[in-house]
Structures are given as structure tokens and as C-alpha cells.
Amino acid sequence: MLQFINPQPVALASAMTNPLLFDSVSDFAEGVALVRMKSQLAYINRDGQVSIRVADDNVTVATDYAEGLAVAQAGDFFGYLDRSGSWGIPVQFRKAKAFSEGLAAVQGGTKYGYVNPQGEWAIEPQFDLAERFVNGRALVKLEDAYGYVDTTGRRVVPLTLKDAWSFAESLAVARVDQLYGYINPDGEMVIAPTYDGAFSFAEGLARVRQGRTFGFINAEGKMVVEPTLAFASDFSEGLAAALIEGQWGYIDPTGRVAIAPQFDYAADFSEGLAVVQKDGRYGYVNPQGEWAIAPQYANAGKFSEGRGRVQIDHRWGFVDAEGNLLSGAGFKDVE
């Protein structure tokens, strides 16, 4: 049975007396979210209080915390902020990526290597590209070839692939000639390269492209959703956004339409809600396709740690799952 959004009017999110609105915000991660007001950067907690003040005024860019450290840029170089907002790893790298499994890919000079949380080289810089670790494997590139290293730097899959992605659910996209398949952590091709495009596994299924249309395969390589979709996203919380006859809806893992196509845009579900756009405004629906938060925002982001990013006019704030805007002292805490 198709699920349709309830057409009855939905009350707008209740207005708080002191809503927190910023020039830009990030998703919540590890209990805090990065916010910017003019040149000020800080991290607020879920109650709207500034919990981490970026100590160095030269920092112009910062990211979410991952494993207790956040990538930050000062001038032309990058380092990592600790949970006090000071430099946990001094600014020194040309590029830097988030920590994962105790290591972070950084560019020192012209090559990428990996550092530990103390900023010491765990894998010396030697690669032209390096990605994060997933289950003990990291994708690396040298000249025109890709392969994988373990956390000691040992090349566990030789650098012979012409194109490859990071592992997800123990399988990784790999290209042979002009077609894509999947390899296991030992580098063995376990799903033959027969696809014009392929994407990472999520919830046991992977999106693949045959010609110009998309479908889904399982971990054995069986096509479980035929490639008839104009476009689709990966599965998240049991549903995948799909473009059907010019509008977005959601399908279940069998390919059945679970939420009828009716949106201008639809994003992945996260924490039981998904951002959708209807008539130029953004709101959130639940897995039954009912409005949880009415479409009223200029833009919106996924829910993370109980909060969703929303844009009101030219400012950004956060709402909870009932649509209440986060309020608090904001930067008044640090003035």
C-alpha cells in the first residue's frame, strides 16, 4: 500500500523567545556543533551553550570533532583543535582529514601520510592521496594507481587498481577497464565488474548504474531492485530516496514505493526523519510519509544527535524533533 503525506494543515514549528541563529552551523557530532557569527567561531552543546571557544583568532575554517579532535585551518595550513579549543596538533599540514580508527590522513609537503592523536607520524608521507580508515583498511593512491594499507602502513591490497573507493560493509567499489565491481578486504573481486557506475554498500545493498538508470544489488551481486530509477540515494534506516517521473519519493529494499513521489527534493533518513523540499520550502517527514516538521525553511540539514540544522532567511539555527528552535545564550557566554 502506498503511503501518502497527510494533507491536513500542520502547525509551524513553535517560536522560541530567544532562538539561536548564526551565520553558519555544522551538524552536531560528539556532543557539539560548530557555529559562526561574523568572524567568531565556537562550538555549542545541545542546550545552546558555548562549550568550546576556538582559542586562536587566526582560525578561519574548522570542522566537526571526530575522536576528540577537529580539523582547523589558520592561514594556508591545517592542524587539529582539542576539546579545549586550543591546538591539540599544531597547524603545520597542507591538507588534513578527520581522525578515524586512531589515525588521520594529512599532507606533509607534497605527499600524504597518517598521524596519530599526538601528531606523530604513524605512516610516513608517501602517497598522492589518502582516505580515512574503515575496518583497518584505508584507500591510498600513488601516481595513477589505487590500493589499500592497514594501520601499520603495510600494503594489504597492492596499488594496481585504476579507480577504487573506501570500504563499506566489507566491500569496496573497484574499476576494471571502464566497468565497476566490488572487492573484498583481501583485494579479490567478489562482484564482477559489470556496472557503468557503482556506489558503496549501505544496509546490505549497493546502488549501481546500468546505462543511465539506477538499481540496487545485494552483497552476493544479485539485482534486488531493477535498474529503472532515474536517480536514487543509498538506503538509510530502511528507505532510499528515489527520483520517479520527475519527483522524489522513497522506496523500500524490495523496490516498492513506500512514500509516494511528490517532493522537489528528498534526502536520506537520519534519526527517524528526512529532509524534503515541497513548493520551495524545506521540512521533515517521518518514515510513514507524514509531516513531522512542516515545510517552512529556506534550507535544512539532517538530524544528528537530536538536532537538525535549519535556515531561516539568511541565518541558521537548530530544531528538535518536534520542530522547536534551540534557544540559549550563544556567544554571550564568551563575550
Side-chain angles (χ1 to χ4, degrees), residues 278-296:
K278 184 77 170 178
D279 298 326
R281 308 301 286 179
Y282 290 83
Y284 295 84
V285 294
N286 64 22
Q288 291 72 48
E290 303 161 337
W291 287 113
I293 302 174
Q296 57 194 286

Side-chain angles (χ1 to χ4, degrees), residues 124-294:
E124 292 292 327
Q126 57 194 282
F127 306 110
D128 295 325
L129 180 69
E131 300 294 347
R132 68 188 184 96
F133 275 90
V134 179
N135 295 331
R137 299 284 190 271
L139 177 69
V140 294
K141 180 184 180 184
L142 187 58
E143 296 180 348
D144 294 326
Y146 293 83
Y148 298 84
V149 296
D150 65 16
T151 54
T152 70
R154 183 171 64 93
R155 299 184 184 186
V156 291
V157 176
L159 277 69
T160 58
L161 299 166
K162 294 302 180 184
D163 191 13
W165 291 26
S166 294
F167 276 93
E169 300 186 1
S170 298
L171 293 171
V173 175
R175 179 166 65 88
V176 176
D177 296 325
Q178 298 303 314
L179 296 176
Y180 291 86
Y182 293 83
I183 60 173
N184 66 18
D186 296 321
E188 301 166 336
M189 188 68 70
V190 292
I191 299 178
T194 58
Y195 308 106
D196 297 312
F199 302 82
S200 295
F201 271 85
E203 300 187 359
L205 298 176
R207 185 167 36 120
V208 294
R209 180 172 60 84
Q210 297 277 47
R212 295 186 176 183
T213 54
F214 294 80
F216 290 86
I217 61 171
N218 63 19
E220 287 73 48
K222 179 183 177 182
M223 190 73 72
V224 294
V225 178
E226 291 299 319
T228 60
L229 300 166
F231 197 76
S233 68
D234 298 329
F235 274 91
S236 177
E237 300 185 4
L239 295 172
L243 183 61
I244 302 170
E245 296 182 354
Q247 291 191 304
W248 286 88
Y250 291 86
I251 61 172
D252 69 16
T254 69
R256 183 183 69 90
V257 174
I259 300 176
Q262 58 197 284
F263 306 113
D264 304 324
Y265 167 79
D268 294 343
F269 272 87
S270 176
E271 300 185 2
L273 296 173
V275 176
V276 295
Q277 184 188 34
K278 184 77 170 178
D279 298 326
R281 308 301 286 179
Y282 290 83
Y284 295 84
V285 294
N286 64 22
Q288 291 72 48
E290 303 161 337
W291 287 113
I293 302 174

Side-chain angles (χ1 to χ4, degrees), residues 50-103:
V50 170
S51 61
I52 302 172
R53 172 76 162 85
V54 177
D56 189 341
D57 291 336
N58 294 311
V59 172
T60 55
V61 176
T63 66
D64 297 340
Y65 277 89
E67 301 186 2
L69 294 166
V71 177
Q73 181 180 7
D76 294 330
F77 293 91
F78 294 81
Y80 292 84
L81 302 175
D82 62 21
R83 293 289 294 200
S84 74
S86 300
W87 291 112
I89 300 176
V91 58
Q92 60 190 288
F93 307 113
R94 297 180 66 87
K95 298 289 183 182
K97 300 182 180 182
F99 271 85
S100 175
E101 301 185 8
L103 296 174

Side-chain angles (χ1 to χ4, degrees), residues 278-328:
K278 184 77 170 178
D279 298 326
R281 308 301 286 179
Y282 290 83
Y284 295 84
V285 294
N286 64 22
Q288 291 72 48
E290 303 161 337
W291 287 113
I293 302 174
Q296 57 194 286
Y297 305 112
N299 206 339
K302 70 175 184 178
F303 264 78
S304 178
E305 300 187 4
R307 300 288 184 265
R309 292 180 291 117
V310 295
Q311 185 180 15
I312 300 172
D313 295 325
H314 300 294
R315 293 287 181 87
W316 285 85
F318 296 93
V319 292
D320 63 19
E322 285 72 48
N324 300 306
L325 274 166
L326 181 64
S327 63

